[in-house]
Amino acid sequence: MKILPVKIVLTIGLFMSICSVSFAQKDNSDDPEKVLQLFVTEYNADPHRFFDSRIPKDFRYTNAEGLFSFRESVVKGAEGRSSTNSEVSNLKFFKSGDLIVASGIHTFGGNPVAFTYTLQKQNGKWMFAASHHTAQKAQK
């Protein structure tokens, strides 16, 4: 049996620990901006997968037209949707323990909506507890 040189073992060990720490912290960040950016990144990559994995059974959503929906219709409505390109801006956060309330502007395909998102950490994972969109009107 051949013994690996100490430098190689240390390098492999260091690489593995860095990878495991970075992957482990990805969803465990309590920084509201990082949590929201993680959500936007996941949503943009695969909207259906995002909704299916990030919204709990008691999720509520109000769209910009005032239509109120629950988890089932939101997940079903995202079926077959491919990746998208959306972005958030004008952000404001309120955080208390395992609850984050984020507000700002979420732009989907050039169409901005004002949003209020409620994020809640459940069993160590941040979930999208509630979402409210309001249509934007041109300012005079």
Side-chain angles (χ1 to χ4, degrees):
M1 179 167 93
K2 188 175 180 181
I3 298 176
L4 293 172
V6 174
K7 285 184 178 180
I8 293 174
V9 172
L10 289 175
T11 303
I12 291 171
L14 179 63
F15 176 76
M16 290 176 67
S17 66
I18 289 171
C19 289
S20 65
V21 167
S22 65
F23 288 123
Q25 291 178 349
K26 185 175 183 183
D27 197 23
N28 292 330
S29 174
D30 286 334
D31 177 346
E33 192 162 359
K34 287 181 181 178
V35 173
L36 182 62
Q37 194 53 54
L38 173 64
F39 274 38
V40 171
T41 300
E42 288 180 6
Y43 172 79
N44 284 340
D46 187 340
H48 182 260
R49 182 174 174 198
F50 169 76
F51 287 131
D52 195 39
S53 68
R54 288 287 185 179
I55 59 177
K57 292 178 183 177
D58 60 350
F59 178 77
R60 277 112 172 95
Y61 168 61
T62 306
N63 71 11
E65 289 80 40
L67 179 64
F68 189 80
S69 302
F70 294 98
R71 182 189 196 283
E72 299 80 31
S73 61
V74 172
V75 172
K76 186 168 180 64
E79 285 179 357
R81 288 177 52 194
S82 60
S83 63
T84 186
N85 186 18
S86 71
E87 58 186 41
V88 291
S89 61
N90 298 354
L91 300 174
K92 176 80 173 173
F93 297 98
F94 304 93
K95 183 177 182 306
S96 180
D98 288 343
L99 189 68
I100 297 171
V101 177
S103 64
I105 305 297
H106 199 156
T107 304
F108 304 88
N111 298 315
V113 294
F115 73 84
T116 301
Y117 296 152
T118 304
L119 315 174
Q120 184 179 31
K121 199 172 215 180
Q122 298 177 1
N123 299 319
K125 182 178 180 180
W126 284 103
M127 300 294 283
F128 201 16
S131 172
H132 184 98
H133 287 165
T134 303
Q136 292 292 281
K137 295 182 180 180
Q139 292 183 348
K140 295 179 181 182

